[in-house]
Structure formats: structure tokens, C-alpha cells
Amino acid sequence: MLQCDDAVTLRAPRADDADTLTRNANHRSVWINLRDRMPHPYTRDDAARWIRSVEDEHPRTSFSIVVDGAVAGGIGLVIGTDIERWAAEVGYWLGPEYWGRGIATTALRCVCRYAFDDLGLLRIFATPMAWNPASFRVLEKAGFRREGIMRNACVKDGRLTDMVLYAKTP
């Protein structure tokens, strides 16, 4: 468990998180900004399957974001391989009722400290879609720097879009 501040904690997902994860994730406004591996609609079975898939992670790279004791969303790292093994992509999401409160920034700062200090990583990056300025603000407030635009980098919901590359180093 990572205590980020008085209100925000990151911890391993648990089976009893499934209902809350489902309630917070099952919004088009959440799904539209995430990779397609996050299903929509998001069901309790999806939540339970994801929880089972990460329960034995070592090192821990997938976390529930807990706010005042309630699961608000998730954050995770995908560690690279081979020559990119010292870097990781970070992804995060919150249920809409938690937006605009600085929670994502707090969770992102916390997971980066863990990645650099405990995992020994040398670079954390994110690639939000160009239509997601809220994520740009989260990344910038957490100390990430914009490195460039990746043109026509993905197709989401049938739309070809750019992605913006952000990164942070220790």
C-alpha cells in the first residue's frame, strides 16, 4: 500500500473492489480516454477478471486509487522490456464524481515516486489522446514534460487521432 496523502491511497485491487470499480468505470466519459483493453460497457465480470489478473503481480504495477476509504479509480504501470526495461508507461482513470479534485495528480505523483524509488525505473511516460486536455493538466501538475505529438497514433471509437507524449525522469 502507498499512502499518497491524507485522503489518497494506492493499494492492490481486492475482490471486494469489483462493485465500486464497475460503478466508477462504466461511463463512456471514462472509456473514451483509455486504451481499448478497458471494455465498455464495463461490467462486474470485467472488474472481477481484471482483479484476478493482477492479484499476484510482482512487482506490483496495478493499483486501486482509494479516496477516503472508497475506490475511486485505478492507476498502473506497464514496464518496458529489453532496452526499454528501465521505463514504463503510466495510465490512470477516475470515476467522474472524483474529477477536478486533484486526486489523479496526487495518485500520479505517488506512483512515480514508487516507480523511481522502489522499482528503480528511469523514465515514466504517458500518451494521452489529443482531445484530452484534462489529462495534460494532470501530467503537467505531476511534473511531466510534453515531449511531442505523435500524429495519427491511434484509432479510438472509430476516430483517428493524435497522441501527445509526456514523460518524467527522476
Side-chain angles (χ1 to χ4, degrees):
M1 179 166 44
L2 306 172
Q3 189 67 47
C4 304
D5 68 10
D6 290 341
V8 179
T9 303
L10 305 183
R11 64 160 171 73
R14 302 186 308 227
D16 63 352
D17 292 343
D19 289 332
T20 310
L21 284 170
T22 302
R23 185 176 69 249
N24 287 320
N26 191 28
H27 296 271
R28 181 175 169 75
S29 57
V30 171
W31 170 82
I32 196 68
N33 293 306
L34 301 175
R35 294 185 179 271
D36 284 344
R37 68 177 160 247
M38 179 77 143
H40 183 73
Y42 193 82
T43 66
R44 190 178 192 295
D45 286 344
D46 294 321
R49 188 173 18 264
W50 175 73
I51 291 165
R52 283 191 308 274
S53 78
V54 300
E55 66 187 353
D56 293 325
E57 279 186 335
H58 186 74
R60 168 75 37 214
T61 57
S62 302
F63 299 91
S64 288
I65 301 172
V66 179
V67 178
D68 295 325
V71 176
I75 190 165
L77 300 162
V78 177
I79 299 173
T81 59
D82 196 20
I83 63 170
E84 295 173 322
R85 67 190 173 274
W86 301 106
E89 182 174 12
V90 66
Y92 49 88
W93 65 272
L94 290 170
E97 72 182 86
Y98 295 96
W99 293 357
R101 296 171 37 191
I103 295 164
T105 301
T106 298
L108 182 56
R109 286 178 180 145
C110 193
V111 83
C112 286
R113 272 193 310 273
Y114 165 75
F116 294 139
D117 296 348
D118 295 355
L119 300 182
L121 297 180
L122 302 174
R123 175 181 169 86
I124 309 296
F125 69 94
T127 55
M129 289 162 222
W131 63 57
N132 191 359
S135 194
F136 304 166
R137 286 190 299 279
V138 167
L139 290 158
E140 290 163 0
K141 289 190 311 184
F144 281 68
R145 295 180 62 176
R146 185 178 177 143
E147 294 188 338
I149 296 174
M150 299 163 29
R151 302 279 177 212
N152 295 337
C154 72
V155 175
K156 179 67 180 188
D157 197 30
R159 294 170 43 197
L160 177 64
T161 190
D162 298 342
M163 297 174 87
V164 182
L165 177 61
Y166 279 86
K168 181 176 184 168
T169 56

